[in-house]
Amino acid sequence: MSNDNPSHRIDIVDVGAIDAPTDKTLLSALESADVHIHYHCREGFCGACRTTLIEGEVEYTTDPLAFIDDDEILPCCCIAKSPLKIKVPL
């Protein structure tokens, strides 16, 4: 197996676990794994994809403009920098 496209394990409370490539947004990884998540703009403007970050670290591809609390992330504009534990609103 090649490590050209590394990934991180994402544990999703009440859903399960997925692998998220480090070259795609967390939203893309969630969609690829058929995890239902609300979204609209895909660019960090609206905050519709606001998700609770329980453990781990993300890096934003663009600075989000939507308001988020310290324990929240916007999966549409971030990538996993470590294994994560998140809670997606169901």
Side-chain angles (χ1 to χ4, degrees), residues 19-83:
D19 286 322
T22 58
D23 63 344
K24 295 187 178 179
T25 65
L26 188 52
L27 177 60
S28 294
L30 292 167
E31 289 178 318
S32 293
D34 293 324
V35 175
H36 178 74
I37 183 168
H38 297 286
Y39 67 89
H40 291 290
C41 72
R42 294 185 166 271
E43 296 180 6
F45 298 135
C46 71
C49 65
R50 185 177 288 114
T51 299
T52 303
L53 176 64
I54 299 168
E55 292 177 9
E57 181 182 348
V58 298
E59 179 179 302
Y60 283 95
T61 57
T62 59
D63 288 331
L65 296 179
F67 173 80
I68 53 174
D69 285 330
D70 291 340
D71 66 341
E72 294 177 324
I73 58 172
L74 297 178
C76 70
C77 60
C78 71
I79 57 173
K81 296 301 287 180
S82 70

Side-chain angles (χ1 to χ4, degrees), residues 9-18 29-31 33-37 51 54 85-90:
R9 178 185 168 100
I10 311 300
D11 289 309
I12 308 154
V13 174
D14 297 328
V15 175
I18 66 167
L30 292 167
E31 289 178 318
D34 293 324
V35 175
H36 178 74
I37 183 168
T51 299
I54 299 168
K85 184 173 183 180
I86 62 173
K87 182 170 178 116
V88 175
L90 300 176

